[in-house]
Amino acid sequence: MKILIQNGRVIDPASGRDEVTDIAIASDRIVSIGKAGDFAADRRIDATGRIVAPGLVDLAARLREPGHEHEGMLESELAAAAAGGVTSLVCPPDTDPALDEPGLVEMLKFRARKLSRCRLFPLGALTRGLAGEVLTEMAELTEAGCVGFSQAEVPIADTLVMQRALLYAATYGYTVWVRPQDAWLGKGVAASGAVATRLGLAGVPAMAETIALHTLFELVRSTGARVHLCRISSAAGVALVRAAKAEGLPVTADVSINSLHLTDVDIGYFNSAMRVTPPLRQGRDRDALRAALADGTLDALVSDHNPVSADEKTLPFAEATPGATGLELLLPLALKWGEDSGAGLLRALATITSEPVRALGASLGSLSASAGRLVEGGVADVCVFDLDERWQAKPSALKSQGKHTPFAPEHTGFELPGRVKATLVAGTVAYEDSTAVA
């Protein structure tokens, strides 16, 4: 189908393009960007007064399949992605069973392709069963479609195993994704500080992150491996990442929407909706994260989407399962940060489009040249949204099977800017608001 998106404010953060014009799409590609008077469109999307941006790229979204279908089915979570303007997402390997076999990866990618809602890029397990002992067959997992390798939330306690993993990855040019957390210091349920002490909750000190970062950077120096740091959460962690980048180490990093907007004070009186991983830290940490995202120390913003069932959330804080839905909130919370911090619209969009693609690097193959961008001849992954529309994240209105979010009106009362009106994946309309289509 030939589609013409008309009269939208076309913004491509990678090139700096910002103009009111048309985008013509045919055969899953962008044919032209500019006034297309003679383009014979089968369908027209009126984007007058709206922004036309690259489809969003989310580097951290759990789909809970295989193994946790009661918490999030692939269909519902990819529908949530499309409704949030997300056209590409990376999922970690901590499914049940873990993504440590090529067959599991191929099955997941096949199911996602059949749904045609979003491009799915799995991370393979770094060690078998995520046990931290025996390395997986990274070459076979890469052939099956993995874009990198991770332990998800299970840190490797044995530094020798981590060194061997990084050496192997460096040899073949693979990227290792690590959420830096010490295996022993990171076992609490809230960030160490006055709030955790007052509530009697086991704390996770910031040094759980920094000790892991120090160790990891030493290993990167000796192996040359490329590492992506997942969900940095502390001011001290930001300082170490900034120094590592200044040194020229091959590292990229992201931060979650939760850590970017919330602090441990939001836990209130044991509000389990605020039980997330990494734990919410103090205001100074949040401020450092916001500044680091603005100046490029942190490359990307992620939804950290992790749908959790009602039974696992309606428990005492320390017993509740950490996690929150986020795919449908990634765009508005990026825009809110851009407004509040003064970083601006282009930088806000860059952190959820072109910058995540840069972090993925060559693992995307031919897609790396145009994913997260709007370029003629490039893949037609597009998000059309209304910047001026304000809304609240009412759980009942979310398409995700996980209805728990700390940004629900009853928790924070945030008014969110920007509502997605249409999402196109490879030139196919994956989501639409009837008011956006002519």
Side-chain angles (χ1 to χ4, degrees), residues 73 142 233 340 349 380 398 418:
M73 295 291 287
T142 299
S233 69
D340 295 348
L349 289 175
L398 298 176

Side-chain angles (χ1 to χ4, degrees), residues 116-140:
S116 300
R117 291 291 186 92
C118 183
R119 301 179 191 274
L120 179 61
F121 299 103
L123 293 175
L126 191 61
T127 61
R128 290 182 188 170
L130 300 177
E133 297 173 355
V134 180
L135 300 186
T136 56
E137 296 292 341
M138 295 187 204
E140 293 181 5

Side-chain angles (χ1 to χ4, degrees), residues 92-435:
D94 54 347
T95 51
D96 185 15
L99 296 180
D100 59 2
E101 294 287 344
L104 293 169
V105 176
E106 290 166 352
M107 177 196 70
L108 191 60
K109 286 185 68 69
F110 174 76
R111 288 207 357 94
R113 280 195 302 269
K114 292 266 288 182
L115 292 169
S116 300
R117 291 291 186 92
C118 183
R119 301 179 191 274
L120 179 61
F121 299 103
L123 293 175
L126 191 61
T127 61
R128 290 182 188 170
L130 300 177
E133 297 173 355
V134 180
L135 300 186
T136 56
E137 296 292 341
M138 295 187 204
E140 293 181 5
L141 288 169
T142 299
E143 290 178 8
C146 290
V147 295
F149 299 91
S150 170
Q151 281 292 110
E153 298 299 329
V154 189
I156 293 178
D158 189 331
T159 310
L160 182 59
V161 173
M162 192 64 180
Q163 181 191 39
R164 288 171 177 166
L166 291 174
L167 279 170
Y168 188 97
T171 301
Y172 293 96
Y174 304 145
T175 301
V176 176
W177 296 50
V178 180
R179 189 174 81 79
Q181 176 153 284
D182 182 82
W184 312 114
L185 291 172
K187 292 184 176 182
V189 299
S192 295
V195 172
T197 300
R198 174 172 58 83
L199 297 177
L201 298 172
V204 179
M207 64 179 173
E209 183 169 273
T210 56
I211 286 173
L213 284 171
H214 278 296
T215 301
L216 188 60
F217 291 153
E218 284 296 330
L219 292 174
V220 170
R221 290 184 186 102
S222 67
T223 63
R226 189 172 185 272
V227 171
H228 179 73
L229 302 167
C230 305
R231 288 164 291 147
I232 297 297
S233 69
S234 68
V238 163
L240 291 177
V241 173
R242 185 174 285 120
K245 285 191 166 187
E247 184 184 334
L249 296 184
V251 298
T252 51
D254 65 48
V255 59
S256 82
I257 55 176
N258 305 313
S259 297
L260 195 70
H261 287 283
L262 304 171
T263 69
D264 59 351
V265 174
D266 291 303
I267 293 173
Y269 190 66
F270 301 103
N271 184 356
S272 62
M274 301 294 171
R275 176 85 197 276
V276 293
T277 303
L280 302 175
R281 296 198 173 277
Q282 285 75 43
R284 63 179 178 274
D285 297 296
R286 180 189 60 185
D287 293 345
L289 293 168
R290 292 164 76 89
L293 189 62
D295 67 23
T297 299
L298 300 178
D299 302 88
L301 181 63
V302 302
S303 72
D304 196 19
H305 178 76
N306 188 11
V308 178
S309 70
D311 289 344
E312 290 175 306
K313 266 299 183 188
T314 52
L315 291 169
F317 187 91
E319 299 173 26
T321 299
T325 190
L327 280 168
E328 295 160 82
L329 305 179
L330 179 60
L331 174 63
L333 288 171
L335 297 174
K336 181 173 174 57
W337 163 76
E339 290 179 358
D340 295 348
S341 67
L345 179 59
L346 256 67
R347 177 58 188 166
L349 289 175
T351 64
I352 51 176
T353 57
S354 55
E355 290 299 294
V357 171
R358 192 174 64 81
L360 283 164
S363 63
L364 291 183
S366 60
L367 277 174
S368 60
S370 60
R373 303 186 61 190
L374 295 176
V375 293
E376 293 185 352
V379 64
D381 292 353
V382 184
C383 172
V384 180
F385 66 93
D386 187 339
L387 180 62
D388 297 324
E389 184 172 341
R390 292 317 198 243
W391 60 289
Q392 289 187 315
K394 295 180 180 178
S396 61
L398 298 176
K399 294 188 179 296
S400 169
Q401 197 160 312
K403 303 299 181 184
H404 294 275
T405 169
F407 300 100
E410 62 267 28
H411 302 315
T412 57
F414 278 9
E415 187 177 62
L416 303 175
R419 198 72 182 259
V420 174
K421 296 299 177 180
T423 303
L424 282 73
V425 179
T428 299
V429 178
Y431 169 79
E432 61 182 340
D433 182 320
S434 59
T435 62

